[in-house]
Amino acid sequence: MPAPSANHVADHNITTNETWDFSIRMYGDIVVKSGATLTIRCKVLMPPKGEIRVEPNGRLIVDGGTITSTEDGPGNWWRGIEVE
């Protein structure tokens, strides 16, 4: 995995069940840990080259929410969702 950009901060670890129903701008990756569920019902802005990682037995549910990049342009896209 490539090193995070200078704009990245530490990963945001989801360790218990969470529902996001408020818009949020992330500055690092999101990691859904084993046994936890993240439900997204809002707009989540991901940093350039950011990603969402779902560990084995973790769950990501996008229920009417939107996950997108913070900035336009091919060098600024977020990397997507990685399911382990």
Side-chain angles (χ1 to χ4, degrees):
M1 177 180 339
S5 73
N7 296 335
H8 263 57
V9 297
D11 292 342
H12 182 82
N13 293 308
I14 305 298
T15 58
T16 61
N17 295 344
E18 293 187 28
T19 298
W20 292 0
D21 54 5
F22 49 88
S23 294
I24 187 169
R25 180 180 180 141
M26 301 304 297
Y27 293 92
D29 297 338
I30 298 170
V31 181
V32 182
K33 301 300 240 176
S34 180
T37 299
L38 173 59
T39 302
I40 296 176
R41 295 182 176 151
C42 61
K43 186 173 192 175
V44 177
L45 297 173
M46 294 296 294
K49 299 191 177 38
E51 67 180 5
I52 299 174
R53 291 190 306 278
V54 182
E55 293 185 350
N57 298 315
R59 291 179 22 158
L60 173 67
I61 300 169
V62 180
D63 180 10
T66 303
I67 306 168
T68 190
S69 296
T70 56
E71 302 171 32
D72 290 332
N76 294 320
W77 294 334
W78 71 292
R79 295 177 53 94
I81 300 168
E82 177 184 323
V83 180
E84 298 177 1

